[in-house]
Amino acid sequence: MGKKLQPKVLEDIIAVLPAKERDSLKAQELSTEWLNERIAYCKGLLKRDLWFGLAWFVVYSVSLFTTGFGQLTVTIFLIGMSYFIYVIFKTGSFGLNKKRVKVYEELLKAMEG
């Protein structure tokens, strides 16, 4: 299970997250199992964003250099932007998910240590 964190230690670790997430974490009953699940979930989101982002960038670049700013290029651009905007509001940006992983790993280390 791990030890319970002191409020000051918890505050210091989660300070990099947005206020809404800090409040949610303060209300959450933290356990090592829950933290491990969240780490795995956020790493999955990072992997998904990385693979989609790389594939989108390659397809967009090829389209841009072969056809210029045609209908295909604009469509590919709009698909990518739609995906990224949706993801930012639904699961958070790539940078936020990296912060989440770091925070959850620090919390886990503090609970186990």
Side-chain angles (χ1 to χ4, degrees):
M1 169 102 182
K3 67 180 182 177
K4 186 155 175 73
L5 296 175
Q6 297 295 324
K8 176 68 174 141
V9 173
L10 180 65
E11 285 284 335
D12 290 343
I13 294 174
I14 66 174
V16 297
L17 295 175
K20 183 178 175 183
E21 290 207 36
R22 287 194 308 262
D23 294 340
S24 174
L25 277 173
K26 289 177 196 172
Q28 175 71 34
E29 186 66 37
L30 298 177
S31 67
T32 55
E33 296 84 17
W34 185 83
L35 288 170
N36 283 323
E37 288 173 10
R38 295 303 299 171
I39 290 169
Y41 175 71
C42 288
K43 283 184 176 181
L45 294 176
L46 289 171
K47 190 181 292 185
R48 178 198 66 190
D49 288 349
L50 183 64
W51 281 107
F52 182 86
L54 288 175
W56 173 79
F57 179 75
V58 168
V59 171
Y60 176 73
S61 297
V62 167
S63 176
L64 181 63
F65 288 114
T66 58
T67 65
F69 283 107
Q71 187 175 3
L72 178 63
T73 305
V74 171
T75 302
I76 293 169
F77 177 78
L78 291 175
I79 289 170
M81 288 302 103
S82 299
Y83 169 80
F84 290 119
I85 291 169
Y86 171 77
V87 165
I88 285 171
F89 288 110
K90 187 70 175 169
T91 59
S93 67
F94 187 85
L96 177 59
N97 284 318
K98 281 184 83 165
K99 284 182 186 176
R100 287 175 179 157
V101 168
K102 183 180 176 194
V103 165
Y104 294 148
E105 287 174 343
E106 287 182 32
L107 288 170
L108 190 60
K109 190 175 3 172
M111 287 178 69
E112 291 175 345

